Amino acid sequence: MQTVKDALREIRRYPSAIAGLLIVLMLVVLSIYVVIAIPYREAITLWRGGEGTWRSLPRTVPPAWINTFRSQKLPETIDLDSRKGAAERQEAPLGEGKSVTLLYTFDYQADDFPREINIFFETSYKERAPFASITWYTPDGREIAIADLALQAGSTSYRFAQDDKLLRRIRRQVGDVPPEVGLFVAPNPPENPRPLKGTYRVKIQATAFDPETQIDAELVVYGKVHGIAGTDHLRRDLKIALLWGAPVALAFGLLAAAGTTITTMIIAAIGVWFSGVVDNLIQRITEIVLMLPLLPILIMVGTFYSRSIWVILGVTILLSIFGSGIKTYRAVFMQIRESPYVEAAQAYGASDWRIIFRYLVPRIVPMLIPNLVTLIPSYVFLEASLAVLGLGDPQLPTWGKVIQDAVANGAPYKALYYWVLEPSALLMITGLGFAMLGFSLDRIFNPRLREM
Amino acid sequence: MSEQAVAIPRKKVQSASFLQSTFARILRYTLIRGVTLFITVIIGVYLTVLVANMGGYVDQIRKGDIRETITIQVMNNPALRNLGPDAKRQLIEEKIRLEEHRLGLDQPFLIRSFRFLENALTLRLGFAQFMNSNSGSRQVKLILLERLPATLLLFGIADIFLFFLSLFLALILSRQYGSFWDRLFVVLSPTSSAPGWFYGIFLILIFAGWLRILPFGDLVDAPAPQSRLLYALSVGKHLILPIMALTVSSIFLSVYSWRTFFLIYSSEDYVELAKAKGLSGRAIERRYILRPTLPTIVTNFLLTVISLWTGAPIFETVFNWPGLGRALYQAVGLFDVPVIVGSTVIFAYLLAITVFLLDIIYAILDPRVRVGA
């Protein structure tokens, strides 16, 4: 207890230790929050959700906070769903059926055009599919007919950019620009057009042929920024992967580091205590393991057996048990073995195992803790490395997998820097946090280094 | 026993006997180290074979492959067209049995594993399932050996550069202990916890993506320049970023720990004595500090080199470097089992050779090294 208190008092003298400790604490708190707020199953379903789950988010856009640093503000996504009451609905009987009007109103103040515009219909009817016509009203009072279409039962999507008729109409009425630009500018736009700011309205006028017909529509004007983390090529919100990366990285790093250092230390103690053949054998095995190509073997395991993060974790620990740490621990144990109190223990008849676990091992804990903390980042990065190689866990979203997605989809070439930088920054912060803490702990627990 | 073999009368020709004994010592050490390392390689490769074949997974793939090839052969053979379906099936089964026997697939795993081991050790790595060498060959050995020079070039230059730069900086910093630069390196040493590819991505973003002054990756410009000089220059240009990434990822920790070694040795009594004798700072550094520290440094450097080697698959992938590591990565993507196993074997060899070379250097540097000590 006293040593722990002393250690804590010492830590206060090292600014880098405090910084490291703060980072580690923040990560732990974040991880606990994430695991409670977005349970494991939910995170996986969301991440594997595909187009249906994420259809109202734009593709590969940076986070919204970059607008703070820009004079030309990029638009955020405007998502208006009539089921959530975001449209003015008017229904009136018409012959045997009825007419349904959905009026969407939104204020557009961004300095750039939206990325795309889609409308998703949800329809149910008895016999004949209802007809709908979509009209667009600009702030300067113009009216542009978008499309007339029959709404099939179930979901229908209308994508503005894929409608050739609309493209032709916009070319005639506005100029040679895509719909998401043409609908937001005055006619005959200059070379670098700016969007008209103000209130836009979209009217969906539908004619149904029976009174039970249900029509709902979601208008999505996709922005060029999203949320705190941006989105990827499958429209997924990167926030989920970035948040879930924290508990995964911490769990993998901690378990692997603890698993390897503790087993390594015990094996070193056993070797030193029993000496002779055992010691020799352990040393030879260490030499062999040192030369095993760890990453290629992990790649083989990942390709042939299982990509589950827990299998990889187990193999990593297995391969690192006889790691290079053994030599360091061995040297220290050799000194401890000669101490008088070990001799005394032997004299009163303590068993070999008692001496190893009660007399040798506890003495090395001060050395073990800094080593363990310093090792964590290398395992965090190992997991990321495997993920970047495409051998990440097939289900869990991790930081490494985000980097892999980004690199595989050409993010560095397409200047989608946020996609690479966000997970990298998190990896770096985590790595630095643990490394700074470990290095300072090393200096605190092993005072001989401190003078240097 | 070993002492007697080189015991030459000391007084007669001291320098010659010293050289001779040093030479004999290093030779013997080298031999024994070579043998141990070779045994290590055998065990390492055998482990690779075991991992690759655990659960008979590789066998299944091979058996499936044989079945498919033979079935197609028999079905498409015009000479066998008149055979009844039963007779055809019988023929196919018989041929499969023969082929499996020929490849030794019907033997127990223990025997087969030793055959694999022998093949792997002699680099008879079989044929790739999907990948080709540039000359169009399917031989795994050719595919991998063709890519070896690129890997050796990159990591060789990076290792040498890293070693001398770290040594140089560590010496400078040990002279100015406590200065701004010294503390900067101490503060930055935790950054070495991130691997080279990680800094590689950043460097690519900055120098290739944003500033556009260096290439994104690959070995040479496309199309490759015709003249030798231009080709070499182009390769040099492509080497800058990867070497920078490897350097950034390990230099701070190396310099920090090496300068600590220097500082430890410079507080020894004999250094004080040398100072008192009035020897120049440079002479003290070379004879009294650098000399005894070098073995420690070489060991430390060995671990760095091993970690660099191990990271090659991902590092080369990030830089699109056409080396061994990238071959392994491509093989993973294509699920080309022989290439995956083959490159793991070659990596085991490379690691052993690296350790061997540094061991010899170690023996030359440290006169205390004795075999088995």
Side-chain angles (χ1 to χ4, degrees):
Chain A
M1 207 53 227
Q2 193 57 40
T3 41
V4 174
K5 266 186 202 156
D6 286 348
L8 279 177
R9 199 170 312 128
E10 284 279 353
I11 282 177
R12 257 182 273 154
R13 289 177 35 214
Y14 290 90
S16 69
I18 295 173
L21 200 62
L22 278 180
I23 293 175
V24 172
L25 281 179
M26 264 163 51
L27 281 169
V28 171
V29 172
L30 176 74
S31 306
I32 295 172
Y33 164 74
V34 170
V35 175
I36 294 170
I38 317 171
Y40 183 78
R41 283 282 139 219
E42 194 185 322
I44 289 175
T45 353
L46 272 177
W47 194 245
R48 303 261 135 233
E51 192 82 349
T53 322
W54 300 105
R55 68 177 188 188
S56 54
L57 296 192
R59 254 178 233 282
T60 53
V61 293
W65 46 261
I66 63 158
N67 266 338
T68 333
F69 307 105
R70 293 178 62 105
S71 55
Q72 307 276 336
K73 304 295 179 202
L74 294 174
E76 290 194 43
T77 301
I78 299 163
D79 182 2
L80 301 169
D81 192 341
S82 67
R83 274 164 301 183
K84 291 174 191 153
E88 285 173 52
R89 180 189 287 272
Q90 278 176 353
E91 298 199 5
L94 183 77
E96 279 177 27
K98 60 176 177 180
S99 84
V100 180
T101 313
L102 294 171
L103 185 67
Y104 299 86
T105 314
F106 64 92
D107 192 35
Y108 198 82
Q109 291 297 340
D111 300 304
D112 202 347
F113 296 98
R115 173 148 284 211
E116 51 181 320
I117 312 167
N118 293 338
I119 298 178
F120 303 104
F121 292 96
E122 243 356 286
T123 328
S124 68
Y125 54 85
K126 263 189 180 161
E127 275 167 20
R128 257 182 87 187
F131 274 110
S133 54
I134 308 165
T135 323
W136 183 273
Y137 301 94
T138 58
D140 55 356
R142 281 174 302 125
E143 184 184 318
I144 302 166
I146 303 289
D148 299 302
L149 66 163
L151 301 176
Q152 300 304 324
S155 313
T156 324
S157 348
Y158 174 72
R159 293 169 200 276
F160 282 40
Q162 288 171 8
D163 185 355
D164 285 335
K165 270 190 203 155
L166 177 63
L167 292 183
R168 278 199 296 276
R169 200 170 306 131
I170 284 177
R171 199 173 300 146
R172 221 167 37 236
Q173 290 186 11
V174 185
D176 196 6
V177 282
E180 64 271 15
V181 176
L183 294 174
F184 284 87
V185 286
N188 305 315
E191 190 75 5
N192 284 309
R194 292 266 147 235
L196 284 174
K197 293 181 183 178
T199 310
Y200 288 82
R201 280 176 303 147
V202 180
K203 190 168 84 179
I204 299 171
Q205 174 77 54
T207 313
F209 299 98
D210 59 80
E212 269 104 279
T213 304
Q214 282 287 327
I215 298 172
D216 276 297
E218 181 184 3
L219 166 75
V220 189
V221 181
Y222 296 88
K224 281 185 172 162
V225 290
H226 178 79
I228 57 163
T231 61
D232 68 2
H233 60 303
L234 298 174
R235 302 177 188 271
R236 296 182 292 199
D237 192 344
L238 286 179
K239 188 176 75 190
I240 298 208
L242 295 183
L243 285 178
W244 252 93
V248 175
L250 280 196
F252 190 86
L254 265 173
L255 287 176
T260 50
T261 36
I262 292 171
T263 44
T264 304
M265 176 195 63
I266 291 174
I267 287 171
I270 291 173
V272 167
W273 185 247
F274 289 109
S275 64
V277 183
V278 181
D279 193 26
N280 253 321
L281 189 72
I282 289 174
Q283 287 216 63
R284 293 295 90 75
I285 296 178
T286 311
E287 271 163 30
I288 292 170
V289 170
L290 182 70
M291 283 178 30
L292 285 184
L294 175 68
L295 194 60
I297 289 183
L298 283 182
I299 289 175
M300 283 204 316
V301 172
T303 339
F304 295 155
Y305 306 113
S306 161
R307 295 188 179 188
S308 154
I309 197 165
W310 309 118
V311 172
I312 298 282
L313 177 69
V315 177
T316 312
I317 294 178
L318 217 69
L319 284 174
S320 317
I321 284 176
F322 288 92
S324 53
I326 281 192
K327 296 216 180 235
T328 334
Y329 296 133
R330 202 173 159 270
V332 184
F333 277 130
M334 295 285 254
Q335 284 174 7
I336 301 174
R337 190 179 61 180
E338 306 304 325
S339 355
Y341 79 102
V342 175
E343 212 176 320
Q346 249 181 316
Y348 81 68
S351 73
D352 288 336
W353 295 106
R354 186 178 165 81
I355 290 177
I356 290 172
F357 284 102
R358 303 297 292 271
Y359 292 84
L360 293 183
V361 168
R363 275 291 294 278
I364 214 164
V365 168
M367 207 183 143
L368 182 86
I369 292 173
N371 273 356
L372 197 157
V373 178
T374 321
L375 263 181
I376 292 173
S378 54
Y379 289 112
V380 170
F381 278 107
L382 179 73
E383 191 276 321
S385 304
L386 286 169
V388 173
L389 281 175
L391 293 170
D393 191 275
Q395 293 194 310
L396 272 176
T398 66
W399 294 333
K401 279 174 83 179
V402 175
I403 299 183
Q404 192 234 344
D405 278 345
V407 172
N409 288 290
Y413 315 104
K414 295 179 193 158
L416 301 169
Y417 300 129
Y418 73 96
W419 199 355
V420 186
L421 288 179
E422 285 171 3
S424 311
L426 284 170
L427 273 172
M428 193 74 227
I429 291 171
T430 311
L432 271 185
F434 280 107
M436 285 195 301
L437 185 63
F439 275 52
S440 326
L441 284 178
D442 202 24
R443 263 174 274 166
I444 292 165
F445 283 123
N446 304 306
R448 245 179 312 168
L449 286 168
R450 206 181 308 164
E451 281 104 59
M452 298 301 157
Chain B
M1 177 180 87
S2 52
E3 292 306 307
Q4 289 156 4
V6 286
I8 288 163
R10 234 180 173 188
K11 285 170 193 165
K12 282 181 189 166
V13 259
Q14 212 168 23
S15 65
S17 82
F18 173 73
L19 262 183
Q20 245 176 354
S21 76
T22 309
F23 182 70
R25 176 177 63 82
I26 289 169
L27 193 71
R28 206 174 50 240
Y29 177 78
T30 309
L31 262 175
I32 294 188
R33 267 318 264 163
V35 172
T36 4
L37 279 174
F38 188 67
I39 295 170
T40 315
V41 170
I42 292 177
I43 296 173
V45 172
Y46 190 65
L47 271 179
T48 311
V49 170
L50 283 187
V51 172
N53 228 334
M54 227 185 325
Y57 199 87
V58 177
D59 284 346
Q60 257 175 28
I61 295 175
R62 291 180 70 193
K63 279 186 181 168
D65 214 29
I66 293 168
R67 178 166 290 273
E68 197 182 310
T69 332
I70 289 180
T71 314
I72 291 173
Q73 259 176 24
V74 172
M75 289 302 178
N76 290 346
N77 192 343
L80 301 171
R81 200 180 297 153
N82 297 330
L83 232 56
D86 274 338
K88 245 184 203 171
R89 204 171 303 127
Q90 222 172 4
L91 185 73
I92 290 173
E93 292 301 328
E94 177 62 18
K95 280 199 166 195
I96 288 172
R97 202 186 57 74
L98 276 176
E99 180 70 6
E100 285 183 0
H101 181 71
R102 188 181 75 80
L103 293 170
L105 286 173
D106 53 352
Q107 280 165 326
F109 176 66
L110 200 65
I111 298 172
R112 258 182 303 130
S113 69
F114 284 112
R115 181 180 289 199
F116 282 141
L117 176 66
E118 189 203 330
N119 283 344
L121 284 174
T122 47
L123 289 187
R124 273 177 299 188
L125 300 169
F127 290 88
Q129 287 169 323
F130 306 104
M131 288 169 73
N132 284 99
S133 73
N134 285 343
S135 55
S137 166
R138 274 274 162 109
Q139 273 193 55
V140 174
K141 185 172 147 190
L142 289 182
I143 294 177
L144 294 179
L145 288 184
E146 190 178 76
R147 286 156 186 265
L148 193 57
T151 298
L152 287 180
L153 178 77
L154 173 60
F155 285 91
I157 294 182
D159 288 343
I160 292 169
F161 179 70
L162 198 61
F163 182 80
F164 285 103
L165 187 67
S166 303
L167 198 65
F168 179 69
L169 288 177
L171 267 179
I172 292 181
L173 289 188
S174 75
R175 271 182 230 146
Q176 350 175 316
Y177 167 61
S179 70
F180 167 74
W181 291 108
D182 185 44
R183 272 180 297 161
L184 184 73
F185 270 78
V186 176
V187 170
L188 284 180
S189 56
T191 57
S192 293
S193 59
W197 64 262
F198 184 75
Y199 293 104
I201 290 182
F202 282 101
L203 293 176
I204 290 176
L205 282 183
I206 296 171
F207 289 98
W210 182 42
L211 297 174
R212 303 210 171 260
I213 45 174
L214 287 169
F216 277 98
D218 214 339
L219 178 68
V220 283
D221 286 330
Q226 288 300 316
S227 93
R228 249 175 206 209
L229 181 72
L230 285 178
Y231 191 92
L233 279 178
S234 172
V235 172
K237 196 173 75 186
H238 285 79
L239 271 170
I240 296 175
L241 274 188
I243 288 182
M244 219 153 99
L246 287 175
T247 310
V248 171
S249 78
S250 43
I251 192 137
F252 293 110
L253 189 60
S254 299
V255 170
Y256 166 63
S257 40
W258 295 9
R259 82 143 191 67
T260 310
F261 296 147
F262 288 142
L263 286 173
I264 290 172
Y265 277 90
S266 56
S267 61
E268 292 279 348
D269 289 342
Y270 55 77
V271 178
E272 296 297 323
L273 181 70
K275 274 185 199 154
K277 276 200 295 190
L279 284 179
S280 72
R282 210 157 272 277
I284 293 177
E285 221 162 58
R286 218 175 37 237
R287 261 187 266 160
Y288 295 90
I289 300 175
L290 201 51
R291 191 64 220 265
T293 335
L294 269 180
T296 330
I297 284 181
V298 169
T299 318
N300 187 280
F301 183 63
L302 174 70
L303 292 176
T304 312
V305 171
I306 288 179
S307 77
L308 290 189
W309 266 136
T310 315
I314 179 154
F315 189 78
E316 290 183 353
T317 307
V318 166
F319 278 100
N320 208 5
W321 192 260
L324 263 185
R326 209 172 114 71
L328 177 54
Y329 171 76
Q330 287 170 326
V332 169
L334 295 167
F335 207 83
D336 201 324
V337 178
V339 181
I340 296 176
V341 177
S343 30
T344 311
V345 170
I346 299 225
F347 267 113
Y349 265 115
L350 281 177
L351 275 176
I353 293 168
T354 316
V355 174
F356 185 57
L357 284 180
L358 284 171
D359 266 344
I360 296 174
I361 296 176
Y362 189 93
I364 295 171
L365 288 174
D366 192 348
R368 290 167 303 179
V369 168
R370 292 279 179 278
V371 177

